Structures are given as C-alpha cells and as structure tokens.
Amino acid sequence: MIVKAYIDDFNEITVVLAQMVHSVKKEDFKVFLDDQEIDIEKVEKLMPHSENPFEAETRGYEICEQKGKIRFVLKEGHFDFHRKSTVRPVFVIGDMNNWTISPEWELTYSKLRGRYELIKDLKDIKIGQKFKFAEGASRKLWYPPGYGNDIVIEDYFDREAAFTNMVKITTTKRLWANLKYKVMYKNEYKYARPREILIRNEYFYARELGARYEPYGTYFRLWAPTAYKVKIQIFDEHENFKFEKEMSRAENGTWDVYLPGDLKNHFYLYEIWHYNYEDDEGYIVYHVPDPYSKASSSNSGKSYIFDPADGLIDGWQADSFVDNIEKQNDAIIYEMHVRDFTIDQSSGIDENLRGKFLGFCQEGYYKEGISTGLLHLKELGVTHVHLLPISDFGSVDDKNPDKRYNWGYDPVLYQCPEYWFSTKSGGIEALKELRTMIKKLHENGIGVVMDVVFNHTYHTKGGKFSIFDKIVPEYFYRVDDYGDYSNATGCGNELATEKPMVRKFILDTIIYWTEEFHIDGFRFDLMGLIDCKTMRHIANEVRKRNPKALIYGEGWVMGDSTCLVEEMATILSSCHQGYSIGLFNDRIRDAIRGDLDGYKTGYVHGNLSDVERLKQGIKAAIDDFAKEPDECVNYVSCHDNLTLFDKLQKTMVGEDIFWIDRASRLANAIVLTSQGVAFLHGGVEFNRSKGGHPNTYNAGDDINKIDWSLKEKFFDTFKFYCDLIKLRRKHIAFRMRSSGEIKKYLRFIPAPDGVVAFIITYPYDEWKKIIVAYNPFKGKKILQLPEGSWRIKANDGIVFPDSSEKEAIGSFEIAPVSLFIAYQK
C-alpha cells in the first residue's frame, strides 16, 4: 500500500510505502496523467534513516539527515591531541580505497553533538567495508584500538540488500507541479503531491508579489504554483461582494491579473482551487487573504486595497532610524507589550488611547512627579524599546478589544499591523497610528525593535487563519515523509525557512518593515528554528538600509525538528558569529536567578554553583558562544516565565521586602555592568509582579498590566536603574568594541569568597581604571583595592552623584547584596 507520493523533481516521484520491502521492480509501478500512462525510466530504493539501536559514536558512523549521505563520527576522546580545534585534517584507509591513504579529509567539530564529524556520499560505501582514521600519514597516528578501529559498515547500508519503504520513480516525461499524477503500486494508488519540485529555480519568483495600487487600476500577483485555478474576488468599502475575475497563470508559479478602475478602499480575497489528492475527482476551494497584505479588514478577514501615500503621516519623510548607538552592544533594550504599558488607569493616559499605539507614545503621569508612558522611558534612559508582536495575530478580537488578551505569538498576516493596538479596526488608520508612535519615539531618541515570529503560524491546513497552506499546501512548513508537521515550536508547525519562497517572504517582510516603518531592529522568536542562511541574509539586508540596526533572537528550539541540526541558528551553532546577530544568554540568566519558575537559586541568592558561567557572561560570553560582544544579549528576565520579582519572592520566602528588592537591583546591576548587549524586562525597574503566574500569554489585563503605583512604591529602585543606565551609556568601558579588547582590558581580581570582582583598564574611557564587584550576601565584605586613591561610584544599592562620591585607599567595605563600583581617572 502507498502511504504518500511526492513530486520531488521534474522527472522524479518519491513513494512512501506502508511496509518495508527488500526489492522493487519497475513493472510494479505505473504513473498516469488522467488516463495517459507516463513511461517510467527506472525505479530504485531510497535509503531510509538509520534505525540501528547502537549509538552512532559506538559504531563510528550513521546515516545522516541528507539523503544518500553517511556521517562519520569521532568523539573528542578518540584522538590524543593537545588542543581542541574546530577543524582537524584526517586521512582514511579501508576496503573502500584498498587500504591506501585517502586524500586529506576535514573532520569538523560539532558543538551541538560534542564530537568530530564529516559527511560523505553513500555511493561508494558497500556492505562489510572496514575503515580506520588517522591524523597524519604515519601509521603511528592511526585511530587507536578500542575506539572504532576496523569499523565495519553494517548491512543496512547495502542498497541491494537493505529493506526500505521509500522508492524513487524516474519518469521519461517531464512532470509539473500543477498537474495531478496518479501513482500505482501493484493494485494500490495515490496521487502525487508536489514537494521538492517547488524548491527548483523554475518555481522561484524573485520580483514583487501582492497588490500594487494605482488610481486607474490595480495589479495583483500571487505565488501559487500548485493551484488548479485562481480567482480574485473584490468587495466594496463595506465588505459586500462586488465581482470576481479569474487570474492568469504566469511565470515561475505565479498568477496575475490587472483590474482597471479605482479600487481604493475596496477589499479582496483570492479564491484558490486545488486538486483533491484524496479522491479521483473534485477540488478543494479556499478563500484566502493575500499573505502580502499591508492592511486588512477586522480580524484578518480580507485584504485591503489602498494608496500607500494615504498611510503616511505629516513629517514621516523626515523621520529616520535612531542614531543613538555605534555598535549593537551599545544598546540598552527595554521589552514591553503595547497594551500592558498603558492599559491600566494608573498610567494616566487618555482613556481612549490606553493599550494603543498612540497611548504608548503619550506623556502621562500616575501622580505629580511620577511619570508614565513616554516620559518614563525618557527618564529611564534606555536606547530601544522592544515591542512584543505588533504585526497581525489571530488570538484577539479587533472589534472587541477587551474580549480576549494575548501576547501575539500567533501570526497571521505578517506585513499588516495589529488592529488590536489601533483606535480603528481595519483599514489604514493602524498604519498611521503605528508610524505616529515610531516617529514620536524617534524624536525622543528611542529606537523601536519589532518582535517577529517566523518559526510558526497560528493555523495550518484548513484552519480559519491558515494562509500559506491554503495557497500552497505543505510548502511553507517542515513536513516529514508521512505528511506530519514538524513541531519543534510546540505550536503544531514550523515554517520551512530554508525553502526559497519562504526565505523570500521573510526577507520581503523584514525589508518592508525596515523601509516603510523605519523599524530599528528585530527580535526573532525561537530563532534557533530559522536556518543560518536566512538569518545571515536578514542581517545583511537590514544593515544595508540601517547599519546600526539591532538583530537578535532566541537561540534555542522547543523540540525535535526535521531541519538539519547544522543549519539551525541556535546558541550552539556558529551561525551568528561575524554577523552581529545577538543571542539571548540564558547561561548568565540562570547563573544569576536560578531556574525560571522553580525553587532553584542563583548568584543573587548567594548560590555560587554557576560563578564561572556568570564570569563568562560578564565578558559577553566570548569564551562561550559569542565571537564578539555584540553577539551576546545579557538578561535576567523577559516576558516569558516568572518576573524577576516574582521569582525572588518565591525563592526568598520569609525575607523582608528590603532584601528582595536589593537582590532584584543586584541582578540587573550585573547585566548593566557586563559586556555585551543589555536587555531589561519592562517594569523590572520598579519590581513588576504578575502575581506569581509564570506564563501569562493569555492571562488578561489584570495580571499583565503595568501597575504604575509600583513606581511610587519602589521609586528608589527606579532611580537606581536610571542612574546605572546613565552610567553605562556614559562609559564605553562597559561596552568595549571587540572580544580582543575585552580579553586585554578586563580581568577578574582577588576578592572575598563569593564576591565576584573585576577591573577594567580601558584606555578610551575617561575613567582609566574601573573596579566592579558584586556582593550577594547579607553580610558586608572587605575588598582590597589596588594601589592608589579610588572614587566610590556605587555601593549599598545606590549610584552616587559626583558630589557624594567617597574616596578610598587600600580597601573598602562592600554593602550587603550590593553592586560596588570604584574608579580612577
């Protein structure tokens, strides 16, 4: 029985059988287009992934994820060497080359697997072959006995003898992605779905997609190479059906149509007809908004036609990216959700603007002397605001904004703003209000970072908010040979970012937001599931337009993916290195606070178990995962998991609020005095709480809102953050330019047990020597100072103004649970 059949090339069909077979015969298979039989040139087995129960390291090799390839595996301990290098030259001898020394091969060290590897083609590998590895041409350096010497290729690598359930059919006639082919195996049949054929150049369309409006007519182009038929449906200003027209099949898998007349303020949908691959007859018809929609009706319903000039605001042409940093590690990022920031009455923001783009940029007060909104951000002194998703998502109701709450990590229309944050649902008002917010923040020296979600979509297949699957079924996602969606996101699907038209869509989207909305940077949700090539393209394209743009993301995944491990942009890869792509440093986070939601403690509790990881983070992880300091984003809390204050309350039961507050200050004092990019969770500056709830993505306003009364309650804490941010921005010694400078000018110095202390001797700062020390204990500690007179800038939970600085010689007493800073000019 055939489980699945796929068109993988212009003359290649891959068949997945329900049972394993030892051999295949050409005469067992037939291919039909309608009633016409297509000649088969050959039928051959495909090698399955290894199901061998033994570990790859034990047997020395494995079938790898790339079809027809073998990965040779060598663990670190298998060679006797004095230093670990990322690449090792080796030679191989064996049956495969008549026991002569091979040309030099390169084993590459994989951090992900903790071993050396190299991948070769399977075509020359035969059953029973033996091989050995050597580090040089001398037999004295052969792979030592007991560690894989005389490794034998097992029989399942013999394609003649192997059992498999995957078969490749090669046809004599060219196949097309938009035609329905029947594949027969003995008496069973399936229709072949287009798959890898769609990644061929013939189906790559490099130019503009979507709608292009002009007063005398609108041009539409959609990429839907597998569709049987496509129509466009036009609706009037009130979303009433007006007319439809069939689109024409065009180049590289696209469909286009030109509709004369002025269609401004009208709506449209694509009606897409697909073959029913589960039946002999019939079609599956979907009505879908344009994935390239720049505006829509309420709740992602229909795409909106408008003149782009109407979406501009006064003075927009004069607006530009912020110019408040030189390098990415100069940034101090403040993460916030648009609605959370102003939705509470305590924000003092106009009632009709609370929770909106316009409210975010309004100057407000909780009471006299306690600023909120934009004034608060200015007073705090951060360089950039990182906004949780502001592009269209599907889990809220634009028309009833108080009905449902969500952070927004469920994307639908990627190039459309989220109307939940607008004063008007649908149309172009949201575009204008978003630009107004960005412009206002720019005028006040604050950049805007956009949180983007290119790892998954809200719905797939026939789901209400499924866009991609309704246009090109399965193409935009990672799907295995059985049709199951890869799910390393935990959300049911993964975008296949490595596919050409998916990569194009991502780049088009990022470039659109950069050019048209002057976005100053992008944070990538589950960036580890975006392939390295795409991330590097993004970094290059964005920085062509804004050399000072921020690019950073989460360098991890939530489960197993069908994406090749080597291609993922994770913290364990080298994808980010040399491209100024920042990764969240979860190592320093855990070293400082302990675990995310449990009872494990960290450095600020006096737990010294991860001090070495803490020191690595202080040096911007340049001895860990980062090559340069702008690749390390240091943080201790974000929107996910318990807030810092809630975590400290959970793990400091019975402690006075004084000590919990001091631990909170110390945690981000470490972040703000470490090298790398500094990242703060919005509200941490006055001990924001979410009532002990760890995952509040849909928990509503009562839990997620910013309670501005906390700023009054913890005003001294807020002042500490302001002063420390000002100090970091003033002194480049905390933001050294390169890993070489950090290695040269930062060194750890002797300190009392448990106190972490270091000295910076950066010659380009007005302070020629700076000592920073952290005391996590409730007792005072005496720090011995290097020779000379020192000015004390911070101690006892305070950053001192110049007029209050004390002088010290020889030693100084560090206050309990406190940051200490001293300097010499």
Side-chain angles (χ1 to χ4, degrees):
M1 180 179 175
I2 301 177
V3 177
K4 292 284 183 180
Y6 298 106
I7 306 172
D8 280 342
D9 211 336
F10 288 101
N11 67 337
E12 180 183 310
I13 296 175
T14 300
V15 177
V16 181
L17 303 174
Q19 69 281 355
M20 301 293 284
V21 296
H22 176 267
S23 62
V24 292
K25 300 175 184 178
K26 179 179 173 181
E27 54 266 29
D28 287 341
F29 294 86
K30 294 183 184 298
V31 178
F32 293 91
L33 177 60
D34 297 325
D35 293 328
Q36 180 181 356
E37 185 173 354
I38 296 174
D39 291 336
I40 295 175
E41 179 181 319
K42 61 180 178 178
V43 173
E44 55 191 319
K45 293 186 297 183
L46 291 175
M47 293 303 299
H49 296 324
S50 170
E51 299 295 338
N52 192 298
F54 299 103
E55 290 296 324
E57 289 88 347
T58 301
R59 62 181 184 268
Y61 63 92
E62 65 182 351
I63 289 277
C64 65
E65 297 90 338
Q66 295 166 289
K67 291 178 181 176
K69 302 284 186 181
I70 182 171
R71 179 189 285 113
F72 291 114
V73 177
L74 293 152
K75 286 170 55 171
E76 252 183 68
H78 292 176
F79 283 127
D80 180 21
F81 55 91
H82 299 292
R83 64 182 183 86
K84 182 169 71 178
S85 59
T86 56
V87 176
R88 298 186 66 79
V90 295
F91 300 88
V92 65
I93 66 169
D95 291 349
M96 63 189 77
N97 59 358
N98 296 318
W99 294 97
T100 59
I101 295 174
S102 72
E104 185 176 291
W105 291 358
E106 283 189 346
L107 279 169
T108 303
Y109 185 72
S110 169
K111 289 184 185 177
L112 295 164
R113 296 184 174 92
R115 67 194 190 195
Y116 284 92
E117 308 175 338
L118 67 92
I119 294 174
K120 303 298 287 185
D121 200 287
L122 263 174
K123 64 183 180 181
D124 297 323
I125 307 299
K126 303 199 184 305
I127 178 174
Q129 282 185 332
K130 298 180 180 181
F131 63 88
K132 297 180 181 181
F133 282 101
E135 290 191 89
S138 167
R139 287 184 177 271
K140 293 179 181 178
L141 296 174
W142 288 129
Y143 199 161
Y147 289 98
N149 201 33
D150 293 344
I151 291 175
V152 179
I153 302 294
E154 301 291 344
D155 60 358
Y156 65 84
F157 283 111
D158 177 18
R159 287 176 291 181
E160 297 302 318
F163 282 84
T164 183
N165 67 335
M166 295 177 62
V167 178
K168 182 173 76 174
I169 299 172
T170 303
T171 62
T172 59
K173 186 176 181 179
R174 188 180 177 94
L175 307 172
W176 298 96
N178 61 304
L179 298 178
K180 187 177 180 181
Y181 299 93
K182 180 189 285 187
V183 181
M184 294 196 69
Y185 173 62
K186 297 181 179 178
N187 295 321
E188 303 283 345
Y189 71 88
K190 279 282 183 182
Y191 289 100
R193 297 173 180 269
R195 187 173 64 173
E196 291 188 19
I197 189 173
L198 298 178
I199 69 175
R200 309 305 172 200
N201 288 336
E202 289 86 342
Y203 288 111
F204 179 74
Y205 185 77
R207 298 191 293 281
E208 182 182 6
L209 291 167
R212 187 174 72 245
Y213 166 83
E214 292 176 346
Y216 44 81
T218 304
Y219 182 76
F220 302 86
R221 186 179 287 268
L222 174 73
W223 187 73
T226 63
Y228 166 73
K229 178 168 60 177
V230 180
K231 296 179 182 179
I232 190 165
Q233 296 183 329
I234 301 297
F235 304 80
D236 66 17
E237 295 92 332
H238 305 290
E239 299 187 52
N240 298 312
F241 178 78
K242 195 169 182 180
F243 68 89
E244 67 180 18
K245 185 171 183 179
E246 198 161 315
M247 299 178 73
S248 301
R249 193 180 295 278
E251 68 266 34
N252 300 88
T254 62
W255 299 76
D256 64 2
V257 68
Y258 177 76
L259 300 180
D262 192 348
L263 293 177
K264 184 160 74 169
N265 301 332
H266 285 55
F267 296 89
Y268 70 100
L269 289 172
Y270 294 120
E271 181 179 284
I272 303 178
W273 292 53
H274 293 293
Y275 292 111
N276 183 353
Y277 289 98
E278 300 302 322
D279 206 342
D280 292 331
E281 297 180 354
Y283 300 92
I284 298 172
V285 181
Y286 293 118
H287 295 90
V288 194
D290 193 333
Y292 278 81
S293 299
K294 306 299 190 292
S296 75
S297 64
S298 300
N299 296 320
S300 322
K302 299 179 181 71
S303 300
Y304 187 64
I305 303 169
F306 67 99
D307 185 342
D310 292 342
L312 302 180
I313 58 173
D314 291 342
W316 182 250
Q317 300 303 331
D319 183 72
S320 187
F321 310 110
V322 290
D323 189 19
N324 58 4
I325 62 170
E326 292 300 320
K327 292 178 69 70
Q328 180 158 285
N329 50 310
D330 293 332
I332 301 173
I333 302 167
Y334 184 85
E335 183 196 50
M336 182 52 65
H337 185 268
V338 170
R339 185 174 175 92
D340 294 354
F341 197 53
T342 62
I343 195 62
D344 192 54
Q345 183 179 355
S346 65
S347 69
I349 301 300
D350 293 348
E351 185 174 359
N352 65 317
L353 300 182
R354 291 175 194 161
K356 307 298 183 182
F357 291 132
L358 295 181
F360 198 97
C361 63
Q362 190 178 31
E363 299 176 348
Y365 286 92
Y366 167 67
K367 60 170 57 174
E368 186 177 355
I370 307 294
S371 65
T372 65
L374 176 61
L375 285 175
H376 172 81
L377 294 176
K378 289 180 63 179
E379 195 175 351
L380 187 60
V382 294
T383 65
H384 291 75
V385 170
H386 159 168
L387 298 177
L388 271 63
I390 57 174
S391 58
D392 180 66
F393 51 89
S395 55
V396 294
D397 187 342
D398 305 341
K399 291 185 176 180
N400 300 286
D402 297 328
K403 185 177 180 180
R404 292 196 298 268
Y405 174 96
N406 210 281
W407 285 340
Y409 293 97
D410 42 15
V412 181
L413 298 173
Y414 282 83
Q415 298 181 12
C416 182
E418 175 48 58
Y419 293 104
W420 194 45
F421 301 132
S422 172
T423 60
K424 183 179 179 182
S425 176
I428 61 170
E429 198 61 34
L431 283 73
K432 298 168 73 172
E433 292 178 2
L434 176 54
R435 286 189 170 108
T436 299
M437 181 193 73
I438 293 169
K439 181 173 179 288
K440 188 73 170 180
L441 288 165
H442 284 176
E443 288 171 351
N444 286 275
I446 300 170
V448 178
V449 174
M450 187 173 176
D451 202 330
V452 288
V453 188
F454 290 114
N455 57 77
H456 76 282
T457 59
Y458 189 26
H459 290 162
T460 58
K461 299 183 179 179
K464 178 182 177 181
F465 292 112
S466 174
I467 305 295
F468 296 130
D469 255 353
K470 291 179 179 178
I471 296 173
V472 192
E474 296 188 359
Y475 173 81
F476 279 81
Y477 300 93
R478 294 180 182 133
V479 183
D480 68 17
D481 292 331
Y482 296 91
D484 294 326
Y485 284 58
S486 188
N487 185 26
T489 63
C491 298
N493 64 86
E494 298 170 32
L495 282 176
T497 62
E498 64 277 7
K499 292 181 182 177
M501 289 302 290
V502 184
R503 180 179 290 138
K504 170 183 164 55
F505 176 78
I506 293 171
L507 289 170
D508 287 348
T509 301
I510 291 291
I511 291 168
Y512 170 71
W513 287 111
T514 301
E515 293 184 343
E516 299 301 324
F517 285 83
H518 308 164
I519 295 293
D520 301 283
F522 297 91
R523 178 267 191 189
F524 292 85
D525 187 58
L526 286 186
M527 186 175 72
L529 286 170
I530 303 175
D531 68 286
C532 290
K533 185 175 180 181
T534 297
M535 279 309 307
R536 289 171 174 175
H537 276 309
I538 288 168
N540 287 334
E541 290 299 323
V542 170
R543 290 190 174 118
K544 282 180 188 175
R545 294 155 175 83
N546 176 14
K548 297 178 182 179
L550 305 187
I551 304 287
Y552 60 98
E554 294 178 303
W556 47 74
V557 302
M558 303 299 289
D560 293 333
S561 171
T562 58
C563 181
L564 288 176
V565 173
E566 293 84 355
E567 294 180 1
M568 294 179 180
T570 67
I571 200 168
L572 295 174
S573 75
S574 59
C575 168
H576 52 287
Q577 294 183 354
Y579 287 83
S580 295
I581 298 173
L583 285 90
F584 283 102
N585 186 358
D586 56 339
R587 286 87 183 268
I588 195 174
R589 177 200 69 195
D590 294 348
I592 292 171
R593 69 180 273 166
D595 60 12
L596 293 171
D597 300 324
Y599 291 94
K600 184 179 178 181
T601 57
Y603 182 75
V604 294
H605 303 85
N607 183 345
L608 307 179
S609 61
D610 276 341
V611 166
E612 291 308 310
R613 276 290 173 92
L614 176 66
K615 290 181 177 180
Q616 285 181 334
I618 290 168
K619 297 176 70 176
I622 59 171
D623 296 322
D624 188 5
F625 62 84
K627 185 177 180 181
E628 295 297 337
D630 59 4
E631 296 164 2
C632 172
V633 179
N634 281 330
Y635 77 117
V636 75
S637 61
C638 67
H639 65 276
D640 284 319
N641 305 104
L642 290 175
T643 69
L644 176 61
F645 191 69
D646 285 343
K647 166 67 179 180
L648 293 174
Q649 285 186 307
K650 182 173 183 175
T651 49
M652 298 175 69
V653 177
E655 292 283 10
D656 188 88
I657 193 70
F658 172 84
W659 293 114
I660 295 174
D661 174 59
R662 286 292 282 263
S664 177
R665 294 191 201 189
L666 178 59
N668 274 313
I670 296 172
V671 169
L672 288 166
T673 51
S674 293
Q675 303 297 314
V677 182
F679 179 100
L680 301 173
H681 179 216
V684 74
E685 69 276 21
F686 43 74
N687 291 325
R688 178 184 184 181
S689 170
K690 294 186 183 181
H693 296 277
N695 188 12
T696 64
Y697 75 98
N698 64 352
D701 295 328
D702 287 345
I703 290 173
N704 285 285
K705 68 183 181 183
I706 295 294
D707 177 0
W708 289 97
S709 69
L710 291 173
K711 183 175 179 181
E712 180 181 31
K713 181 178 180 180
F714 292 105
F715 192 82
D716 288 345
T717 303
F718 167 70
K719 183 68 166 53
F720 174 77
Y721 274 84
C722 293
D723 293 342
L724 195 52
I725 288 170
K726 182 179 179 181
L727 191 71
R728 180 180 178 88
R729 293 188 68 175
K730 181 179 180 181
H731 291 281
I732 197 171
F734 296 112
R735 303 171 279 112
M736 283 187 262
R737 306 289 85 181
S738 69
S739 58
E741 289 186 342
I742 294 172
K743 290 175 181 178
K744 185 174 182 180
Y745 300 119
L746 187 155
R747 63 180 176 85
F748 292 95
I749 59 176
D753 288 346
V755 172
V756 172
F758 56 93
I759 186 168
I760 301 173
T761 55
Y762 195 57
Y764 309 107
D765 195 286
E766 63 178 281
W767 291 353
K768 298 309 176 187
K769 293 182 180 180
I770 304 171
I771 290 176
V772 179
Y774 314 121
N775 177 15
F777 305 110
K778 290 172 71 175
K780 298 176 182 179
K781 298 289 182 177
I782 304 296
L783 181 70
Q784 297 300 317
L785 299 175
E787 184 178 352
S789 176
W790 294 84
R791 305 287 295 179
I792 309 304
K793 190 63 181 176
N795 196 23
D796 205 15
I798 299 170
V799 178
F800 301 116
D802 294 349
S803 59
S804 299
E805 292 175 0
K806 297 179 181 179
E807 189 172 345
I809 298 174
S811 64
F812 199 83
E813 191 175 75
I814 307 177
V817 192
S818 185
L819 162 74
F820 172 83
I821 299 176
Y823 70 91
Q824 290 180 345
K825 283 192 173 181

